[in-house]
Amino acid sequence: MSFDSLGLPASLVEAVKKAGYDTPSPIQEQAIPAVLAGKDVMAAAQTGTGKTAGFTLPLLALLEKGERAKPNQVRALILTPTRELAAQVQASVEKYGQNMPLRSMVVYGGVKINLQMQKLRSGVDILVATPGRLLDLYQQNAVRFQQLEVLVLDEADRMLDMGFIHDIKKILKALPPKRQNLLFSATFSNDIRALAKGLVNNPVEVSVTPRNTTVEKIEQSLYEVDKTKKTALLGELITQNDWKQVLVFVKTKHGANRLVKNLEARGIRSAAIHGNKSQGARTKALAQFKESQIKVLVATDIAARGIDIDQLPNVVNFDLPHVSEDYVHRIGRTGRAGNEGQAVSLVCQEEFKLLRDIERFIKKVIPRKIFAGFEPGEPLQASSLGNDNAPKKPKSPKPQHRDGNRSGARTGSAKKQRSPRSNFVGG
C-alpha cells in the first residue's frame, strides 16, 4: 500500500515523499482513512509507530477544505502531555502542511504567555497545546472554540499519569459538543476507556502494537556493578565502545544533574533534561543531542516522553525503572525503523527485585556481563525467571481492589503501566 491509496490530497502525498516516507505504517493505514471519513478514532499507539503522521496528515486534509479560523478561534486542537511532544507534533504539522494555506502554532508553559496571546489574535487552524497553558489562555479569553472541528488527545495515558485529568475535563466543557474526536494512548486501560466514554462517539478502534513485547532488533544486556561504581563504569563503556550518541535514563532530577557533572569532568559532553530545567534549556539540550554536539543526554522518564530520535544507537538504564513497562518504553527509543540498537542496564544488588519484575514482564532473561575492575562486591542472584524462591502473586485481591487495577495498585494520578513502543518511523 502507498500513501496515494489512502485518500490524501496530492500536496500531502508529495510532502510525505519529500520527508522520505514511501509506505504507510500499519497505524497510518488504519487511522488515516477513518479520520478522513470524519469518524471518531481510538488508537493504541506509541511514539515510533508513525502515529503522529497518522493524525496530522488527515487533519491537514480535512481543514484545507473549510473556512479559515477567525480571530482568536481554533479549528483543531491537539492536546499533548509535555512541551517536548507538543513541539514535535507542531514540527510534524509544519513539515507536512508547508504547501497549505493553514495557520498553526504551539503553546506550552515555561515561556512568556504574552507572545502566544498576540499570535492567537489572528486565529489558528491547528493549535498544539499542553493542558495547563491552554487553560491559562482560555481563562484570559485569548483562545475560543466556537469554530472547533476536531479534538486530538495525544498520549492520553501519560496525561492521566501526570494528573491532567481535571484540566482535560475543564477543557472538554469549553468545547462545542459537535466535533470529531481522536484519542491516542499506549493502551486501552480502564481509565482510558472511562475517559473515552464521555469523549468519543462510536469510535473506530485501531491497535497495531502487541502488548508487553520488546523490539526484536534491540540487543539487551546488563552489567552487574556496585552502586558506587556506576558513573565510572558508564564513562568507561562510552569511551571504550566509542559510543557517539547515548540516551541515559535516571530516576531523579538530582541524579541527572550529578551524572552530567561527573561525565563532563571525564571529558564526555553531556546535558540533562528534566522538569526543573527551563523550556529553553530542554529544547537546546535536545537539539544539541540530535545534532551530535553533545554525546550523552541524561533524562528522567517524564522529561523524555515524546523524544523521537531516528537511528538512536544506544540507550542506557543508569537506574532501573520501578514500573516494568517503562523499561520497554525506554529501550524502545533505539532499534527503530528496522535498525539495530543496543540497550544496556547498569544493575546493582539493590535493584535485583526490579530486574526480576522486568524479566518476568518481558519473558526474557537479560544477558549479564561483568566489566573487569567494576565487579560488584556481591554478584546478582541467578536468573529471575523460574526462581522458585521468588514471591508468588496473591491469589485473591486485597481490599479496595477494583477491576482493571492490580491489588494495591496506585490510582488517580499515580503512574500506571503502559504498553511498549513499536519501531515504525514517522513519529
Side-chain angles (χ1 to χ4, degrees):
M1 180 176 284
S2 65
F3 283 98
D4 302 79
S5 63
L6 296 180
L8 295 169
S11 59
L12 281 177
V13 173
E14 183 63 29
V16 170
K17 289 181 179 178
K18 185 177 178 181
Y21 304 125
D22 298 316
T23 305
S25 69
I27 190 171
Q28 292 164 0
E29 289 183 11
Q30 298 179 58
I32 289 175
V35 178
L36 289 175
K39 297 179 180 179
D40 284 8
V41 173
M42 278 185 67
Q46 302 80 32
T47 300
T49 60
K51 58 100 177 174
T52 304
F55 63 78
T56 56
L57 289 172
L59 188 61
L60 288 163
L62 291 173
L63 296 176
E64 186 182 31
K65 304 173 184 176
E67 180 184 359
R68 297 285 82 80
K70 296 177 181 178
N72 293 103
Q73 294 288 344
V74 174
R75 298 177 60 208
L77 173 62
I78 303 174
L79 286 177
T80 70
T82 68
R83 305 164 186 174
E84 286 77 17
L85 183 58
Q88 290 188 94
V89 171
Q90 170 65 3
S92 178
V93 171
E94 291 178 343
K95 176 171 62 177
Y96 298 128
Q98 57 185 302
N99 297 320
M100 292 182 159
L102 297 173
R103 292 191 298 270
S104 67
M105 69 175 291
V106 60
V107 295
Y108 44 67
V111 296
K112 292 183 178 179
I113 198 172
N114 291 342
L115 184 59
Q116 295 174 349
M117 295 175 69
Q118 291 173 12
K119 289 184 177 180
L120 283 166
R121 288 174 186 168
S122 300
V124 292
D125 298 289
I126 301 176
L127 180 64
V128 186
T130 53
R133 177 49 58 95
L134 181 67
L135 279 176
D136 289 343
L137 290 164
Y138 177 71
Q139 289 163 0
Q140 297 189 49
N141 294 316
V143 60
R144 303 187 184 97
F145 301 111
Q146 285 87 348
Q147 269 191 277
L148 190 82
E149 301 170 39
V150 186
L151 168 67
V152 182
L153 289 187
D154 192 14
E155 299 206 1
D157 61 313
R158 175 58 70 165
M159 283 197 270
L160 296 186
D161 289 350
M162 295 174 67
F164 288 139
I165 183 61
H166 298 298
D167 286 349
I168 292 172
K169 288 181 177 180
K170 289 179 184 178
I171 292 168
L172 292 178
K173 288 181 180 179
L175 306 182
K178 187 177 180 181
R179 62 179 188 268
Q180 184 178 7
N181 302 284
L182 313 177
L183 185 151
F184 288 77
S185 174
T187 63
F188 293 151
S189 67
N190 282 6
D191 287 337
I192 289 297
R193 289 195 178 277
L195 174 64
K197 281 184 180 179
L199 178 66
V200 294
N201 179 33
N202 192 25
V204 174
E205 289 199 11
V206 177
S207 184
V208 297
T209 306
R211 294 192 62 189
N212 304 350
T213 59
T214 51
V215 181
E216 293 180 359
K217 286 186 174 290
I218 299 175
E219 178 188 346
Q220 301 176 62
S221 63
L222 67 84
Y223 284 91
E224 301 182 31
V225 60
D226 188 272
K227 185 176 182 179
T228 61
K229 299 178 182 178
K230 280 191 176 186
T231 301
L233 174 56
L234 177 60
E236 288 296 321
L237 289 172
I238 293 170
T239 302
Q240 292 199 18
N241 294 309
D242 195 25
W243 288 346
K244 303 295 185 184
Q245 195 178 41
V246 191
L247 177 59
V248 179
F249 285 96
V250 296
K251 61 185 177 182
T252 67
K253 303 168 187 177
H254 178 67
N257 291 336
R258 184 172 60 244
L259 181 56
V260 166
K261 183 178 179 180
N262 288 333
L263 289 175
E264 286 278 341
R266 296 171 186 268
I268 300 172
R269 292 212 61 193
S270 310
I273 58 170
H274 51 67
N276 285 353
K277 292 283 186 179
S278 69
Q279 183 56 38
R282 291 160 69 170
T283 301
K284 180 181 179 181
L286 183 57
Q288 289 178 328
F289 185 61
K290 287 184 174 182
E291 295 167 6
S292 298
Q293 295 177 17
I294 61 174
K295 186 173 291 188
V296 181
L297 185 66
V298 183
T300 54
D301 282 298
I302 288 180
R305 183 74 169 197
I307 293 178
D308 190 14
I309 301 168
D310 292 338
Q311 300 181 358
L312 176 65
N314 302 101
V315 169
V316 173
N317 291 297
F318 189 85
D319 301 312
L320 286 184
H322 285 271
V323 178
S324 298
E325 285 194 19
D326 282 345
Y327 173 83
V328 180
H329 283 307
R330 288 179 176 189
I331 72 170
R333 307 300 177 128
T334 186
R336 294 188 174 186
N339 296 303
E340 294 184 355
Q342 187 175 16
V344 174
S345 299
L346 309 184
V347 184
C348 61
Q349 184 61 43
E350 294 93 324
E351 296 174 300
F352 176 74
K353 183 182 181 299
L354 298 176
L355 173 63
R356 182 191 65 204
D357 292 342
I358 289 168
E359 290 186 325
R360 284 178 172 174
F361 182 75
I362 65 176
K363 297 179 174 63
K364 178 179 179 179
V365 177
I366 302 173
R368 287 146 167 76
K369 296 182 179 180
I370 294 291
F371 196 107
F374 294 90
E375 301 90 343
E378 181 181 350
L380 290 177
Q381 297 179 37
S383 165
S384 58
L385 293 184
N387 184 356
D388 293 333
N389 295 321
K392 308 297 183 186
K393 290 184 178 179
K395 294 182 179 180
S396 58
K398 294 180 180 179
Q400 298 181 337
H401 172 79
R402 66 173 186 165
D403 292 340
N405 284 318
R406 295 170 296 143
S407 298
R410 292 174 291 171
T411 58
S413 63
K415 181 171 287 186
K416 299 174 178 63
Q417 293 191 346
R418 297 174 298 281
S419 111
R421 301 182 182 274
S422 180
N423 62 334
F424 290 104
V425 297

